[in-house]
Amino acid sequence: SYELTQPPSVSVSPGQTARITCSGDALPKQYAYWYQQKPGQAPVLVIYRDNERPSGIPERFSGSRSGTIVTLSITGVQAEDEADYYCQSADNSATGVVFGGGTKLTVL
Amino acid sequence: EVQLVESGGGLVQPGGSLRLSCVASGFTLSAYWMSWVRQAPGKGLEWVASIKQDRSEKYYVDSVKGRFTISRDNAKNSLYLQMNSLTVEDTAVYYCARPIISSWYGADYWGQGTLVTVSS
């Protein structure tokens, strides 16, 4: 079955840039979405269609894609950004959806 | 204001059944695909199923095919998930999610979730 691979954890100091990658063979064909989830809360969409930002999401959140890897970047990380982040995309046939395993972002 | 409110979760024995409901408000349900996503305790997100606006297309994760059925009633602004032959691996918080208007899986609105516990 199709899989998206994320690093389990990323740590950065406040004010630095955090980059979280997500790799998958179908990513060149299918859009990627990114979610932020804090403990006890439902996920929040932070990036859609690879690099678009929903209204209300701070400009420090951005997305990019290069081949089979998509990247969520958070520029000028703040303490409030500490959370789990998940990428999501569809498989090559566009009949199944998968999430990456999630990345725990720690703000030192 | 867009709202999604799930209900129907609870404790059920292995092999049992449960029907989840999601009532939508603040938008026209018939204009959107809809999805169910679950999260086992302490684990990551897992997509479960999606249904097209007119019910003509339905997709499921392999682990629930043949056991779960997604359905909707646009007139009642409601989404459903019928879950049969439940196993302990189905224990999770189940979220109802609304994909963005031009997608069938990237969700910009989520419910608060309903907990399903499968245990003897």
Side-chain angles (χ1 to χ4, degrees):
Chain A
S1 61
Y2 184 52
E3 292 183 353
L4 294 175
T5 301
Q6 296 181 235
S9 63
V10 168
S11 299
V12 295
S13 299
Q16 290 188 327
T17 297
R19 293 183 179 86
I20 300 172
T21 59
C22 171
S23 64
D25 290 342
L27 286 174
K29 293 174 53 179
Q30 305 293 346
Y31 282 124
Y33 296 75
W34 288 95
Y35 301 90
Q36 175 193 71
Q37 187 181 35
K38 296 181 178 179
Q41 298 182 17
V44 172
L45 181 68
V46 295
I47 293 291
Y48 66 99
R49 289 195 219 130
D50 293 348
N51 55 21
E52 309 240 21
R53 194 173 52 251
S55 61
I57 300 301
E59 290 185 8
R60 62 180 182 273
F61 288 86
S62 64
S64 61
R65 175 156 62 87
S66 177
T68 60
I69 298 175
V70 292
T71 301
L72 171 69
S73 298
I74 310 172
T75 304
V77 166
Q78 300 181 6
E80 66 196 51
D81 299 329
E82 186 165 283
D84 293 325
Y85 290 86
Y86 296 90
C87 61
Q88 180 197 39
S89 189
D91 59 24
N92 270 308
S93 64
T95 59
V97 175
V98 65
F99 286 92
T103 298
K104 181 175 181 59
L105 175 65
T106 299
V107 181
L108 301 171
Chain B
E1 177 192 8
V2 172
Q3 282 195 317
L4 299 168
V5 180
E6 303 97 335
S7 62
L11 176 64
V12 60
Q13 291 188 339
S17 298
L18 215 53
R19 189 193 195 209
L20 305 184
S21 299
C22 170
V23 177
S25 60
F27 68 100
T28 303
L29 185 67
S30 60
Y32 292 83
W33 280 79
M34 291 298 292
S35 297
W36 288 98
V37 175
R38 68 184 179 183
Q39 187 168 35
K43 302 296 185 182
L45 300 171
E46 180 182 38
W47 169 76
V48 174
S50 294
I51 184 170
K52 196 174 181 179
Q53 292 91 327
D54 61 359
R55 304 187 295 273
S56 62
E57 294 180 45
K58 301 177 185 180
Y59 301 114
Y60 300 90
V61 66
D62 285 346
S63 60
V64 309
K65 285 179 181 175
R67 301 189 300 122
F68 290 12
T69 302
I70 189 172
S71 62
R72 63 193 294 164
D73 185 335
N74 291 334
K76 293 184 177 180
N77 293 314
S78 293
L79 175 72
Y80 306 102
L81 186 67
Q82 177 66 44
M83 304 185 295
N84 298 331
S85 303
L86 286 161
T87 73
V88 295
E89 287 74 31
D90 297 315
T91 294
V93 173
Y94 285 73
Y95 293 102
C96 167
R98 188 197 83 169
I100 63 174
I101 189 72
S102 58
S103 173
W104 66 281
Y105 60 90
D108 57 351
Y109 284 95
W110 297 66
Q112 83 288 351
T114 187
L115 177 62
V116 172
T117 303
V118 184
S119 175
S120 55

